[in-house]
Amino acid sequence: MIKREVGSVVDSLRKSELTVNLPIKHGDLSLSLEVTNTIFSIMPFKGQHHKIASRLKEKFNIDLPSPNLRTFKGEASIYWVGLDQWFVVNSGSVDLFHLISDDAATTDQSDGWIKMSLIDTQNKDVLARLCPVQPIVETVVRTKLAGMMSIIFFTENGAELFVMRSMIESAVNEIEIAIKSVAAQKGVNE
């Protein structure tokens, strides 16, 4: 079973000479790193969608979500991330490869993507400065975040952000600028 702790994610960033200072907090706005033990990308082969959905339901008791949605049970989540593509996050095991590899292209994306949590305003003012999409709570979009490819799950109080590890410094910098701008407009001087 693969288990990654916050320290190991931070250590991994440090070893690759990335300088990411998280969490960032200005008033009630914040950005923090989220622990993801595993991130697997799955893409069912032609005609195998229902078989994959059935196996995931049996193994994790989670339905394969429809486009633009996320499903979860406990720590494990499945995010729709594109046409016939999903991220299975925190499944806790590489057994996923053995479970579906005959019927889906499956890759370990754990070192390729980083998940962050953004606490934003009710109107998603920080994200409005960075994303060309209308935020709808409880939906997933694959979009650009300050020009960088990202996957965003909108929550009631902000968003869960997936950005590529290679772009993490730029993403954090852009988000911090937007957070400071919104905080300044709200009169927060931190």
Side-chain angles (χ1 to χ4, degrees):
M1 181 147 108
I2 296 173
K3 184 74 173 164
R4 296 180 187 179
E5 302 297 330
V6 174
S8 67
V9 173
V10 172
D11 289 343
S12 175
L13 291 173
R14 199 173 289 124
K15 285 178 189 171
S16 60
E17 298 181 14
L18 295 174
T19 54
V20 178
N21 296 317
L22 292 175
I24 296 167
K25 186 164 175 53
H26 292 278
D28 56 354
L29 306 172
S30 68
L31 178 68
S32 58
L33 190 64
E34 284 212 15
V35 175
T36 52
N37 297 330
T38 56
I39 301 174
F40 290 107
S41 170
I42 60 170
M43 295 176 17
F45 298 139
K46 186 175 182 176
Q48 301 302 314
H49 180 275
H50 294 294
K51 188 184 282 187
I52 295 299
S54 175
R55 287 184 184 162
L56 290 171
K57 177 72 172 178
E58 183 179 307
K59 174 78 174 174
F60 301 109
N61 197 24
I62 305 174
D63 292 316
L64 199 58
S66 298
N68 300 103
L69 296 177
R70 173 193 79 154
T71 54
F72 67 97
K73 174 95 176 178
E75 288 186 20
S77 299
I78 303 176
Y79 296 81
W80 173 91
V81 295
L83 180 62
D84 293 328
Q85 185 176 3
W86 292 267
F87 274 180
V88 181
V89 179
N90 292 333
S91 63
S93 172
V94 293
D95 289 341
L96 187 63
F97 278 116
H98 304 296
L99 179 69
I100 64 174
S101 63
D102 291 339
D103 301 305
T106 308
T107 57
D108 186 349
Q109 298 286 327
S110 303
D111 289 334
W113 290 84
I114 293 180
K115 184 179 177 188
M116 297 180 290
S117 176
L118 173 67
I119 304 301
D120 203 343
T121 64
Q122 181 179 353
N123 295 323
K124 311 293 187 271
D125 294 320
V126 172
L127 287 172
R129 286 161 171 73
L130 302 168
C131 296
V133 296
Q134 176 67 35
I136 300 172
V137 174
E138 297 296 317
T139 61
V140 178
V141 293
R142 187 175 193 137
T143 186
K144 291 188 177 200
L145 177 78
M148 295 167 269
M149 183 171 61
S150 66
I151 297 160
I152 301 173
F153 174 68
F154 294 101
T155 63
E156 195 66 44
N157 63 351
E160 295 175 5
L161 311 170
F162 289 90
V163 296
M164 295 186 81
R165 178 191 171 108
S166 61
M167 299 179 187
I168 189 68
E169 288 181 278
S170 297
V172 168
N173 183 55
E174 293 293 333
I175 296 167
E176 183 174 22
I177 290 168
I179 286 174
K180 286 179 178 177
S181 174
V182 172
Q185 290 177 350
K186 291 174 68 177
V188 175
N189 296 321
E190 290 185 50

